[in-house]
Amino acid sequence: MQHGKYRFIVGFLALPLGLYALFVVWPFIQSIYYSFTDWTGLSPEFKMVGFDNYRRMLHDDIFWKSLQHSLLFALVLPLVTISLALFFAFMINVGGRHRRGGPVVSGVRGSSFYKIVYFFPQVLSIAIVALLFAFAYNPDSGAINSLLRGIGLDSVQPLWLGDPDLALWCVMAVLVWSTVGFFVVLFSAGMASIPAEMYEAALLDGASRFTTFFRITLPLLWDTVQSGWVYMGILALGAESFAVVQIMTTGPGGPDYSTTVMVLYVYQKAFRDGQAAYATTIGVALLVVTLAFAAIVMRLGRRERLEY
Amino acid sequence: MKTTETPAPLPAESGASVSKIDVAPAARPSGRKKEGGVLNVFSHGVLIIWAIMVVMPLLWAVMTSFKDDSSIFGSPWSLPDKLHFDNWSRAWTQANMSDYFLNTVLVVGGSLIGTLVLGSMAAYVLARFDFPGNRFIYFLFVGGMSFPIMLALVPLFYVVNNMGLLNTIHGLILVYIAYSLPFTVFFLTAFFRTLPTSVAEAAFVDGASHTRTFFQIMLPMAKPGLISVGIFNFLGQWNQYMLPTVLNTDPDKRVLTQGLVQLAVSQGYKGDWSGLFAGLVMAMLPVLAAYIVFQRQVVAGLTAGALK
C-alpha cells in the first residue's frame, strides 16, 4: 500500500484541511489577536492597545449583565432540561406496569410514540421556534394570554417578553421546550443498555421505583448525563441562546438589557456598533466561560466509573 | 439505535438474587401492583401533558396559517372559518418564500455534497493511513466541535469579505462546509476504522489506485455512515441561522430562517401575518417530513453528536 501514498494523503487532505484552516482555525486565532487592538472593523487601520479592551470590559455594566444572564442560561437550562428529560426517559423506559409474562421492567404503553413526538422540536430551526413562540407570547393577541382568558384568568395577563423580570425566563422556557426531547432519546438509549437483571433484583428486594431510579438508573447513566450537561451548557452559551434572544426579545436584548447574553453582545458590538476589537474581547471572555464551565462540570461530576 | 439492542446476558454475580424469587413475589405482590397502578396513571398523565405541550404549538401554527389576519389576532384559538389557501400562495409568491426556499435548497444542497465528499476524504485518510501529524490533524478537526462559533465570527466576516465571498451563495456553501467538517470528520473517522481492510487491499493489489479504491470500493461500503452524518448535516445546515445572519445581508440571497425572521421584523409595516404563518409552516414541513421518514438515522446521528 506504499506506492504513491504521500501524494494521495496530501491530495485528499489539502482541500478539507485548507477550507477548515481558512474559515475556522484562522479566524479563531485572529480573534484573540484582535482583542489586543483598537480595530473598528470599518477601516483596515488599527494599532495595538494592550489590555485596554479587557480593562474596558471589566467596567462595562452591560457586559456584566450579559455574563450574568449567560451563566444563568448555562446553569438553569441544563438543570431543568436534564431533570425533566431523566424523568420522562425513566417513565418511558422503566415506568411501565409489570405485565404478566412480560419483561420485568418495561416502558409505559406507547413509549416509542412518545419518543418520536418529543423529538419533534429538535429538528426544527431554533429561529423558527423562536418566531413561533414570539407570537404565542404576544400579550394582547398571543395564544398564551388568550388561553388564560379562555379559562377565566382574565386578571393574569403578563407582558411576558415585555416584562424585564419575566423576559429571560420566557426565553429559557422556549429552549427547554425545544431540547428536552433530544435528551429523552439520548437517555433512553443509555437506559436500554442497563441490564434488566439489575432492576429484577432490586424489585424482588422490594425497592420502589424511586429507589431504583436513584440507586440503579442514575448511577449507571452518569457518564451520559454528564456529557449531556456539558453539551447543553455549550449550546446555552452559544448559538441557541443567540437565536432566541435576538429574535424574541425587543431591542433586541430585552427591556433594559434584561435578556442580553454574551453571544448577542458580541454580535451587536461587532456588526451594529462597529467595535470589532471590543467584540472579540467579549468573545474571548465567552470562550473562557465556556471552557471553565466544561472543566467544572467534568471535575464536579467525576464519579468512579461503574462497570456492568 | 441502541434502544433496539437486547440487554447484556445475565452476569454471574447477580445469580445470587435468584434464591429470593420464591419468597419475594409471594410476599409483596399486592403492594407492588398498587404502587404500579397509581404511578402509571401519574406517569401517563405527565407524559401525555408534555406530548400535548410539544404538539400544540405546531398544530396551532398549522391552524393559524389557514386563518385570515383578523381572526389571528381576534381569536387565536378558534378554528379557521374557512381554509385560506391564499395565505400559502401569497407567502410563496409575494413574501419571497419561493426565493428563500430556492436559496436554502442551493446552499444546503451544495454544502451537503461538499461536506460529505471532503469530510469522507479527510476521514478516510485519517482513519486508515499512518503518517506524521495524523493525530494532530485529527484533533485539530475534532477540537472545532467544542468552541463557541461566535468568537470566530467577527474575523470570519472579514476573511469572507476580503475574498469577495460576502453575500454569495457559494461563499455561504464554503463556510457551511468548513463548520460542518469537525463533526463529520469525527463521525466518519470512527466509521472508516470499523470497515474491513481486506477488500480495499484486494482492490489495490489488482491495480486500482488509492483514489479509485476510495471512490469505487470504500465510499459505497461507507454508505450507512454517510447517510447518518448526511441527515445530521442536512438538519443542521437547513436550520442554520447564525452564519447566514452574519455573512449574508443581501435581501436577494437570504435563506429560509433568515428570510422569515426579516419578514417578521418588517411585518410591523406590512402586516401580512397570515402569510407569515404560512411561510413558517412551509419552512417546518421539509424537516419534519425528513425526520419522520429517517427517524432512526436522525436520532442515531444526533445522539452520536452529543456523546463525542
Side-chain angles (χ1 to χ4, degrees):
Chain A
M1 299 275 280
Q2 286 302 311
H3 175 70
K5 182 181 137 186
Y6 281 100
R7 216 179 58 195
F8 172 74
I9 291 172
V10 172
F12 259 39
L13 271 182
L15 209 53
L17 197 59
L19 215 54
Y20 182 66
L22 179 65
F23 290 122
V24 183
V25 179
W26 177 229
F28 264 118
I29 297 168
Q30 270 187 309
S31 64
I32 293 167
Y33 168 71
Y34 283 137
S35 72
F36 295 102
T37 69
D38 65 353
W39 187 43
T40 59
L42 304 172
S43 68
E45 293 99 45
F46 58 84
K47 60 178 193 300
M48 300 299 288
V49 293
F51 282 92
D52 278 7
N53 286 318
Y54 289 89
R55 268 192 289 274
R56 176 183 164 194
M57 186 172 79
L58 296 180
H59 294 101
D60 182 348
D61 289 342
I62 303 170
F63 165 74
W64 287 109
K65 267 193 176 170
S66 70
L67 174 68
Q68 210 184 329
H69 296 151
S70 282
L71 289 178
L72 205 62
F73 267 78
L75 296 176
V76 175
L77 272 181
L79 186 69
V80 175
T81 311
I82 287 174
S83 312
L84 269 176
L86 272 173
F87 177 73
F88 290 142
F90 187 73
M91 291 297 177
I92 287 175
N93 292 284
V94 192
R97 187 202 297 266
H98 176 59
R99 288 185 279 275
R100 193 170 290 276
V104 179
V105 288
S106 63
V108 295
R109 232 175 263 273
S111 55
S112 54
F113 165 78
Y114 287 124
K115 271 189 267 184
I116 293 175
V117 168
Y118 285 12
F119 205 75
F120 273 161
Q122 184 64 33
V123 300
L124 298 176
S125 171
I126 191 70
I128 288 172
V129 169
L131 271 181
L132 187 62
F133 275 90
F135 283 115
Y137 277 128
N138 187 305
D140 303 320
S141 50
I144 296 175
N145 273 4
S146 79
L147 189 72
L148 288 176
R149 277 195 297 272
I151 55 173
L153 292 168
D154 291 68
S155 53
V156 189
Q157 296 286 310
L159 288 174
W160 300 116
L161 297 167
D163 183 339
D165 298 326
L166 270 181
L168 194 67
W169 302 100
C170 293
V171 168
M172 280 200 216
V174 173
L175 283 181
V176 171
W177 180 83
S178 78
T179 21
V180 162
F182 169 75
F183 287 101
V184 170
V185 171
L186 184 71
F187 295 150
S188 292
M191 285 180 192
S193 63
I194 296 174
E197 288 74 21
M198 298 215 169
Y199 290 112
E200 194 169 354
L203 288 173
L204 288 175
D205 286 345
S208 71
R209 280 180 222 203
F210 294 100
T211 322
T212 19
F213 174 76
F214 284 106
R215 293 295 170 81
I216 298 178
T217 311
L218 194 57
L220 289 178
L221 209 64
W222 193 254
D223 277 355
T224 315
V225 172
Q226 199 184 10
S227 53
W229 198 288
V230 174
Y231 178 78
M232 181 76 203
I234 290 175
L235 280 186
L237 286 168
E240 305 267 300
S241 66
F242 170 75
V244 281
V245 174
Q246 201 230 13
I247 296 167
M248 293 179 71
T249 63
T250 50
D256 193 25
Y257 296 102
S258 55
T259 56
T260 301
V261 286
M262 287 172 88
V263 330
L264 181 76
Y265 199 41
V266 175
Y267 173 81
Q268 289 178 338
K269 281 289 146 200
F271 300 106
R272 188 193 64 187
D273 303 344
Q275 301 174 6
Y278 187 49
T280 58
T281 312
I282 303 160
V284 172
L286 177 63
L287 176 68
V288 171
V289 170
T290 308
L291 293 180
F293 166 80
I296 290 169
V297 172
M298 296 315 260
R299 175 93 208 156
L300 288 183
R302 193 180 291 163
R303 295 272 199 287
E304 203 176 327
R305 205 189 161 84
L306 292 158
E307 300 286 341
Y308 59 92
Chain B
M1 218 170 80
K2 263 185 173 170
T3 40
T4 54
E5 282 169 15
T6 46
L10 183 72
E13 307 90 78
S14 66
S17 64
V18 171
S19 59
K20 287 179 190 142
I21 282 182
D22 313 325
V23 197
R28 294 189 44 90
S30 58
R32 218 168 83 202
K33 201 173 176 186
K34 199 174 163 203
E35 183 209 30
V38 174
L39 211 76
N40 254 42
V41 172
F42 171 71
S43 58
H44 266 296
V46 176
L47 287 171
I48 288 169
I49 288 172
W50 189 263
I52 292 172
M53 281 175 67
V54 166
V55 176
M56 195 88 105
L58 304 179
L59 287 182
W60 178 71
V62 174
M63 189 179 83
T64 308
S65 75
F66 287 110
K67 291 160 76 166
D68 55 18
D69 280 328
S70 61
S71 69
I72 288 179
F73 289 105
S75 43
W77 283 101
S78 69
L79 287 168
D81 53 343
K82 67 180 182 74
L83 294 179
H84 289 267
F85 283 107
D86 52 303
N87 295 341
W88 285 62
S89 56
R90 208 172 52 249
W92 185 252
T93 51
Q94 287 171 28
N96 300 327
M97 283 300 290
S98 56
D99 296 341
Y100 302 151
F101 221 93
L102 182 69
N103 288 340
T104 310
V105 168
L106 286 177
V107 173
V108 173
S111 10
L112 196 55
I113 294 169
T115 307
L116 289 180
V117 172
L118 295 183
S120 58
M121 280 161 63
Y124 178 67
V125 169
L126 291 171
R128 306 191 71 109
F129 290 87
D130 206 16
F131 58 92
N134 180 316
R135 292 285 81 193
F136 174 77
I137 295 175
Y138 176 74
F139 284 114
L140 190 68
F141 271 122
V142 173
M145 285 196 289
S146 54
F147 282 101
I149 300 179
M150 198 30 114
L151 177 58
L153 230 45
V154 183
L156 176 68
F157 175 87
Y158 296 98
V159 169
V160 173
N161 192 17
N162 290 340
M163 295 173 70
L165 292 173
L166 212 59
N167 301 329
T168 61
I169 297 284
H170 51 281
L172 216 48
I173 289 177
L174 291 177
V175 175
Y176 274 27
I177 295 174
Y179 280 88
S180 307
L181 281 176
F183 177 72
T184 309
V185 168
F186 163 77
F187 186 94
L188 287 178
T189 305
F191 196 85
F192 276 122
R193 285 211 187 99
T194 66
L195 293 181
T197 47
S198 54
V199 184
E201 270 161 13
F204 196 70
V205 169
D206 283 351
S209 66
H210 282 298
T211 316
R212 198 174 150 166
T213 309
F214 171 74
F215 282 108
Q216 291 198 335
I217 312 285
M218 297 310 285
L219 218 47
M221 273 165 58
K223 209 167 140 193
L226 289 175
I227 290 176
S228 277
V229 82
I231 294 165
F232 175 85
N233 280 317
F234 167 76
L235 289 172
Q237 291 169 352
W238 185 274
N239 290 334
Q240 184 57 254
Y241 174 67
M242 197 150 82
L243 288 172
T245 300
V246 170
L247 298 175
N248 185 25
T249 46
D250 179 353
D252 292 338
K253 302 283 166 53
R254 279 175 192 150
V255 295
L256 268 175
T257 47
Q258 215 189 345
L260 280 166
V261 172
Q262 289 294 333
L263 270 183
V265 170
S266 64
Q267 280 301 311
Y269 311 102
K270 284 189 234 149
D272 181 10
W273 300 102
S274 49
L276 184 65
F277 264 95
L280 269 181
V281 176
M282 249 179 233
M284 284 183 195
L285 286 180
V287 281
L288 281 183
Y291 167 58
I292 289 169
V293 174
F294 296 105
Q295 195 242 338
R296 273 166 178 258
Q297 287 91 337
V298 172
V299 168
L302 285 183
T303 42
L307 291 174
K308 58 196 166 195

